[in-house]
Amino acid sequence: MTIILYFCSLMKIFTATQIHELDNYTIEHEPIKPVDLMERAARAITTAIISRWSREIPVVIFAGPGNNGGDALAVARMLINQNYQVQTYLFNISGKLSAECAENKQRLITHKGHPLFTEVTQEFDPPTLEQGMLVVDGLFGSGLNKPLAGGFASLVKYINASKAQVVSIDVPSGLMTEDNSYNVRANIIHATVTLTLHQLKLSYLFPEYQQFIGHLQILDIGLSTEGIDKIDATYSILEHNDVCSLLKPRSPFAHKGSMGHALLVAGSYGMAGAAILAARACMRAGAGKLTIHTPRRNISILQTAIPEAVLHADREETIFSEGLATDHFQALAIGPGIGTAEQTAIAMIAQIRRAQCPIVADADALNILALRHAWLQQLPKDIILTPHPGELERLEGQCTDSYERLSKARQLSERLHAYVILKGHYTAICLPDGHVLFSSTGNAGMATAGSGDVLTGILLGLLARGYEQREACILGVYLHGLAGDLAAADLGQESLMASDIISHLPRAFRHLAPR
């Protein structure tokens, strides 16, 4: 999915109910008539269509009985004004149109351009849809709350089977804005382009629904900024300004002791690479000092690979088996490459329980907890957990789709009063208060071994540096993705390795620094 933003502020992601609430707030407080707000939306949609498709392309518009259909009817009228050849079909099976849809129907049928208009009330003989034609999908929008069935499902399948290009208004018909767990995917429009109004919908962030969205453009229709501020959104997307404002200035009189001492417990024998990546990322994230606790056989490898770190050898040769006192450390990260041996598991939970500093638990630490669910209750408040989807499901159970997986991550965060970072294309930071922040940085090239170890190291470095857990999660996830984006720009996504993310962290910090 490619996203084009046509407005400056993209933060909150509203539910379908909240979108309706925001529309009403705008209508009441601007003030503006509902049909005039629809006209404003239709102008934005029409402009986007005209910018992409020439007047030579035949246009077929399918309008539903609600406000999405009203938008489509207004677009039909505006395209006719621009000398497009337009056929319009309004589906009024129940004999009940929304007030604005009815108004735009009347405006269209009395339009001087003599539109080709059909109101479908019973039987429907669909027009031929061919390559070189454009279908405007205005059947159902964000208010849909159940799968399409019957004639509408048949129409969707007919459109999808054609070779015509399809532009969907706001939402591809059949796709729900949040939870599609019980949807029928065969009955969802496959759009070439989706022109969504005001903001992303939550379902647009999930990988399994990209096939329906196509190329995405977000259109500004002038909804009330005051209303946006007043509505409490569960979901938001992090932006550059939100993140750069968190950066702590480094005192000219700083020294390594004032920049924080981090403890990294990582690496079993054969998995020293995980410790190396996390350690290098920690140092690049600004920690003043780093101690790595690792099995004895890893010492020479790590001493060579990361000479800046202090090494502390476990009593065992090949596994982590004993914790350290954390009195002199400002942050602890535990898990990368430590394995899941019984002795390691006992040492891991003991280390977490005795820690007196902020903690990041990742990788094998999460796998150990997944095998011993009762230990979850022993985790301290505000611990940071960084599962990828597979690790989350091992902790919380199998999920049918991304919405359920995100819901379980939110529930885990609230239940444990923890920060749960669910890694993915739009990495989700689940806060203990139930809110979720999505990162807008990152790319598919970062789907490579060691990328998660790098994130753990960044988080550890930021915590040691003095950032609170919430700040460290926001800044760490954003920086991780931004460094990955910079690496992909230089090297290409195909060739990107985890170590490339680390090498681009300095540039990522510079991108966030005040100019």
Side-chain angles (χ1 to χ4, degrees), residues 151-485:
F152 285 118
S154 298
L155 177 58
V156 166
K157 291 175 181 175
Y158 176 73
I159 295 170
N160 287 343
S162 75
K163 294 184 178 181
Q165 297 183 72
V166 181
V167 56
S168 287
I169 295 176
D170 200 23
V171 181
S173 291
L175 184 68
M176 287 172 265
T177 56
E178 293 104 39
D179 185 2
N180 286 272
S181 303
Y182 303 100
N183 208 341
V184 180
R185 297 188 187 182
N187 299 343
I188 302 174
I189 285 285
H190 285 253
T192 311
V193 174
T194 298
L195 303 175
T196 202
L197 305 179
H198 175 68
Q199 57 156 210
L200 287 169
K201 278 52 176 182
L202 182 62
S203 59
Y204 293 177
L205 304 183
F206 300 145
E208 57 265 45
Y209 305 123
Q210 303 311 303
Q211 60 180 309
F212 306 113
I213 298 163
H215 186 88
L216 180 66
Q217 294 183 11
I218 304 174
L219 306 181
D220 182 9
I221 59 169
L223 296 180
S224 169
T225 55
E226 182 182 4
I228 293 167
D229 291 339
K230 286 189 174 183
I231 297 174
D232 180 28
T234 298
Y235 307 101
S236 301
I237 292 184
L238 293 173
E239 296 179 289
H240 178 87
N241 290 339
D242 303 317
V243 180
C244 65
S245 64
L246 298 178
L247 278 179
K248 292 180 180 295
R250 182 174 284 249
S251 169
F253 297 94
H255 54 83
K256 66 181 180 181
S258 64
M259 289 294 98
H261 192 174
L263 172 61
L264 173 64
V265 178
S268 55
Y269 182 63
M271 292 294 290
I276 292 169
L277 290 168
R280 285 179 173 167
C282 174
M283 297 301 290
R284 283 293 187 193
K289 294 189 289 186
L290 170 65
T291 293
I292 309 171
H293 181 78
T294 194
R296 288 188 177 278
R297 288 196 187 178
N298 286 343
I299 293 297
S300 61
I301 300 170
L302 290 171
Q303 193 77 71
T304 303
I306 181 79
E308 296 89 349
V310 176
L311 298 181
H312 190 280
D314 195 276
R315 65 189 175 197
E316 292 290 334
E317 289 289 318
T318 60
I319 64 171
F320 164 57
S321 68
E322 58 180 348
L324 274 67
T326 60
D327 300 11
H328 302 296
F329 298 103
Q330 279 67 60
L332 162 68
I334 186 168
I338 64 174
T340 58
E342 181 68 19
Q343 192 175 2
T344 297
I346 294 170
M348 187 276 296
I349 194 64
Q351 178 71 84
I352 286 177
R353 290 177 63 184
R354 72 188 294 188
Q356 300 298 312
C357 58
I359 303 170
V360 182
D362 181 34
D364 283 328
L366 302 178
N367 293 327
I368 289 169
L369 292 170
L371 295 170
R372 298 163 180 82
H373 275 84
W375 288 5
L376 288 169
Q377 304 311 312
Q378 301 183 40
L379 300 180
K381 285 185 177 181
D382 297 325
I383 189 172
I384 300 173
L385 309 178
T386 60
H388 58 57
E391 290 165 342
L392 190 280
E393 291 194 9
R394 285 195 283 275
L395 284 167
E396 293 294 283
Q398 291 293 311
C399 303
T400 58
D401 66 357
S402 295
Y403 179 83
E404 183 182 2
R405 192 175 299 112
L406 178 63
S407 297
K408 287 188 174 183
R410 280 185 64 211
Q411 292 162 12
L412 178 65
S413 176
E414 292 181 277
R415 188 170 76 246
L416 300 181
H417 202 278
Y419 293 84
V420 177
I421 298 175
L422 181 58
K423 293 178 284 196
H425 181 70
Y426 291 100
T427 291
I429 305 168
C430 300
L431 305 179
D433 64 5
H435 288 82
V436 178
L437 306 175
F438 291 97
S439 178
S440 57
T441 60
N443 62 84
M446 298 172 70
T448 185
S451 180
D453 301 322
V454 173
L455 175 60
T456 295
I458 294 172
L459 294 168
L460 174 62
L462 293 172
L463 290 170
R465 174 80 167 75
Y467 290 91
E468 298 295 328
Q469 284 92 330
R470 185 180 187 276
E471 297 171 332
C473 288
I474 292 171
L475 187 55
V477 167
Y478 194 90
L479 275 168
H480 181 248
L482 179 56
D485 289 341

Side-chain angles (χ1 to χ4, degrees), residues 240 244 247 284-285 475 478-492 496 500-515:
H240 178 87
C244 65
L247 278 179
R284 283 293 187 193
L475 187 55
Y478 194 90
L479 275 168
H480 181 248
L482 179 56
D485 289 341
L486 294 169
D490 286 347
L491 306 169
L496 197 149
D500 298 323
I501 302 172
I502 300 171
S503 65
H504 283 77
L505 271 174
R507 282 177 57 193
F509 270 104
R510 288 200 299 271
H511 269 68
L512 292 181
R515 306 282 173 145

